[in-house]
Amino acid sequence: MTGGGLLVAGTTSDAGKSVVTAGICRWLVRQGVKVAPFKAQNMSLNSFVTREGAEIGRAQAMQAQACRVEPTALMNPVLLKPGGEQSSQVVLLGKPVGELSARGYHGGRQQRLMGTVLDCLAELRGTYDAVICEGAGSPAEINLRRTDIVNMGIARNAGLPVLVVGDIDRGGVFASFFGTVALLSPEDQAHIAGFLVNKFRGDVSLLEPGLDMLHGLTGRRTYGVLPFRHGLGIDEEDGLRVSLRGTVRESNVSPPVGEDVLRVAVCAIPLMSNFTDVDALAAEPGVVVRFVDRPEELADADLVVVPGTRGTVRALEWLRERGLADALRDRAAAHRPVLGICGGFQVLGEHIEDDVESRRGHVEGLGILPVRVRFAREKTLTRPEGEALGEHVTGYEIHHGVADVRGGDPFLDGCRVGQTWGTHWHGSLESDGFRRAFLREVAAAAGRRFVPAADTSFAALREEQLDRLGDLIEEHADTDALWRLIESGAPQGLPFIPPGAPA
């Protein structure tokens, strides 16, 4: 027996597809439904390693947590990791299979992956009561429809109803809803069941006449109006496109436990990957996190984090161009705390041999840590466990660079020299005991009277966040109608809205 399904599409990127998918998943699992997430193709620099050693998008790992199931490669069979404006690494079923230009991928490779994608979805639907799928971008990208495997291509091949999410906070949501439907072929339109409004502020009664008119124009109803809520930011997908300068990760705003706050500056290096590593820092009361791109912005920071990147050599060049390289060396010499994670760890080393990622050969690093890095063609994808600062630590590794550590004190398979720390481990700061011990070391080195909260649980905060998403769906969507869609598909007899897709 095949389980039910639903595809959550959006009028644009960042309309809220990931959040809505996670919310529907959490609502369903609280109703006793065995549910799984699915995204056929994801473009993201924020990824995660499953227990079987497969790399998938962090958004799908988070959605699996919303479902209370272990994430697997089936949930995100195709992952594209941008290496610049024109090319991406293609990760298929959790393993890298090569680099392709956008033209090469959309020119034929993508369409050949449809069979793999449909097999993964069918396996999930054979195992779970329901599979909630997430689309990508907009389903009305008419230039890409012929090779589409993530929006209407998957909906039609798998017989899925489609719920279109629109971000009303951006404006123009009615035009976006109508235009999305009107640019689809009659066959595609038959799968568009209706709409969901996201991030609404104000009195819903003022919106209802517009929703009625939209129903009259399209023959499709609106399944809910989700109010705007602060603090619901989840693991972002596209670190290449989103500008992070000056932003602070969303977290609970709580006063510091000690007398001082702790200021963390994250270098916003090019092709930044897994910047979600700093979420656990931002969740600590009294820790202030910001992303920076100028050396003077490091001056008042108690801790500087150099995060992961899909372009280690490019990040080195950027740090030097911006004057941040000298600022980092000065900090290290003054024994002011610096933490390098993955690519950020690699740039702090003595030199890099890269014939894989940038193909630049020998490149001098910043020389802060006694480490030499050689890029291997095989990617390391593991879930390590260990101990640091007297605390148990878990993490995950995603990197081509192999580190030859030639000195310093051991630190999570990397090293520490003075107050400069480097590791390939992502996610280590989510280990509560280790994070608190690390922050105590940072505070002492910075001369801050900062005290980590004794009871901050990052896992519990993430669960609370997922429950809030589930609450949004339960309280502000027509859940009975949503379940009918999941169980029975799109309503029959939905009208065609001209002009339809161009020939």
Side-chain angles (χ1 to χ4, degrees):
M1 180 179 175
T2 300
L6 174 70
L7 176 69
V8 179
T11 56
T12 61
S13 296
D14 293 335
K17 297 183 292 290
S18 295
V19 169
V20 169
T21 300
I24 293 174
C25 287
R26 179 48 62 100
W27 159 66
L28 284 171
V29 80
R30 294 195 307 205
Q31 309 308 307
V33 177
K34 188 180 178 185
V35 60
F38 180 78
K39 184 160 185 172
Q41 172 194 293
N42 193 349
M43 177 173 278
S44 178
L45 287 170
N46 285 329
S47 57
F48 183 75
V49 179
T50 67
R51 292 207 180 277
E52 72 267 30
E55 185 180 8
I56 66 171
R58 274 198 67 98
Q60 279 60 66
M62 176 276 304
Q63 290 161 357
Q65 186 177 347
C67 297
R68 297 179 180 144
V69 298
E70 191 66 33
T72 73
L74 293 173
M75 297 171 183
N76 179 206
V78 182
L79 173 64
L80 305 178
K81 302 194 73 175
E85 296 292 340
Q86 299 295 328
S87 67
S88 293
Q89 183 181 66
V90 181
V91 179
L92 180 62
L93 293 174
K95 304 296 180 184
V97 294
E99 295 271 341
L100 277 180
S101 67
R103 180 176 293 276
Y105 184 67
H106 290 287
R109 179 64 182 268
Q110 182 184 33
Q111 201 168 20
R112 291 197 295 272
L113 295 173
M114 178 64 89
T116 300
V117 162
L118 289 172
D119 287 345
C120 291
L121 178 56
E123 186 170 342
L124 289 174
R125 294 181 76 181
T127 306
Y128 292 88
D129 301 329
V131 178
I132 308 303
C133 308
E134 180 186 345
S138 161
E141 290 169 347
I142 54 179
N143 56 315
L144 301 177
R145 176 62 186 91
R146 183 179 61 83
T147 57
D148 171 46
I149 64 170
V150 66
N151 290 308
M152 300 315 299
I154 195 79
R156 279 178 61 180
N157 276 280
L160 296 172
V162 179
L163 184 69
V164 180
V165 178
D167 180 355
I168 198 169
D169 202 44
R170 293 181 170 195
V173 75
F174 292 116
S176 297
F177 281 145
F178 183 86
T180 296
V181 179
L183 279 176
L184 299 177
S185 69
E187 295 81 5
D188 283 352
Q189 286 193 22
H191 289 267
I192 303 293
F195 313 107
L196 188 81
V197 176
N198 191 30
K199 295 185 184 178
F200 180 72
R201 306 173 191 250
D203 185 347
V204 177
S205 66
L206 298 177
L207 186 67
E208 286 170 350
L211 300 179
D212 291 339
M213 285 184 262
L214 182 67
H215 188 197
L217 288 166
T218 67
R220 290 157 175 87
R221 56 165 299 184
T222 298
Y223 285 79
V225 177
L226 307 185
F228 184 93
R229 290 285 186 269
H230 285 284
L232 288 181
I234 58 169
D235 298 347
E236 282 96 339
E237 291 188 345
D238 195 341
L240 181 66
R241 179 175 45 76
V242 178
S243 172
L244 291 165
R245 167 161 169 67
T247 65
V248 177
R249 301 287 291 154
E250 292 189 18
S251 61
N252 292 330
V253 179
S254 302
V257 176
E259 295 179 45
D260 289 339
V261 298
L262 209 62
R263 296 171 177 83
V264 178
V266 184
C267 295
I269 56 181
L271 299 174
M272 184 165 43
S273 62
N274 287 69
F275 53 83
T276 47
D277 282 331
V278 301
D279 283 356
L281 294 178
E284 281 285 348
V287 175
V288 180
V289 177
R290 68 183 188 274
F291 289 82
V292 303
D293 60 6
R294 296 195 299 258
E296 57 268 27
E297 294 177 298
L298 304 189
D300 67 344
D302 303 307
L303 169 67
V304 173
V305 177
V306 188
T309 173
R310 250 281 277 155
T312 300
V313 171
R314 175 69 191 100
L316 261 172
E317 292 172 341
W318 183 87
L319 289 168
R320 289 180 169 124
E321 290 164 3
R322 295 275 177 156
L324 285 160
D326 289 338
L328 287 168
R329 287 196 194 95
D330 291 344
R331 280 189 69 91
H335 296 282
R336 300 184 66 197
V338 176
L339 171 63
I341 303 174
C342 200
F345 167 42
Q346 295 167 8
V347 304
L348 298 177
E350 295 171 353
H351 70 248
I352 295 166
E353 291 290 340
D354 181 11
D355 296 318
V356 176
E357 192 174 78
S358 69
R359 298 182 176 88
R360 295 278 292 278
H362 182 92
V363 179
E364 292 297 318
L366 298 186
I368 297 172
L369 292 176
V371 176
R372 298 179 182 181
V373 176
R374 174 185 57 82
F375 273 68
R377 297 203 175 275
E378 287 293 315
K379 182 183 280 192
T380 298
L381 296 168
T382 62
R383 292 270 291 268
E385 294 189 39
E387 187 173 297
L389 303 179
E391 299 287 346
H392 182 69
V393 190
T394 62
Y396 57 99
E397 294 185 60
I398 306 169
H399 54 91
H400 285 279
V402 179
D404 177 12
V405 179
R406 300 189 167 204
D409 297 320
F411 174 67
L412 299 180
D413 293 339
C415 68
R416 169 190 183 180
V417 174
Q419 289 299 323
T420 301
W421 318 62
T423 177
H424 272 132
W425 292 24
H426 294 290
S428 63
L429 294 166
E430 295 180 19
S431 297
D432 298 325
F434 165 71
R435 182 180 64 254
R436 287 191 278 268
F438 177 69
L439 289 176
R440 282 192 289 268
E441 289 250 359
V442 168
R448 296 287 185 189
R449 291 169 295 184
F450 169 85
V451 179
D455 57 352
T456 301
S457 166
F458 185 76
L461 289 171
R462 175 54 59 87
E463 277 296 303
E464 289 175 17
Q465 193 178 45
L466 292 171
D467 275 331
R468 290 176 67 196
L469 294 178
D471 292 343
L472 274 180
I473 297 298
E474 190 166 342
E475 295 168 10
H476 300 282
D478 186 340
T479 53
D480 289 340
L482 276 181
W483 178 247
R484 285 194 296 273
L485 282 184
I486 293 166
E487 196 173 38
S488 305
Q492 297 297 306
L494 292 169
F496 169 70
I497 307 303

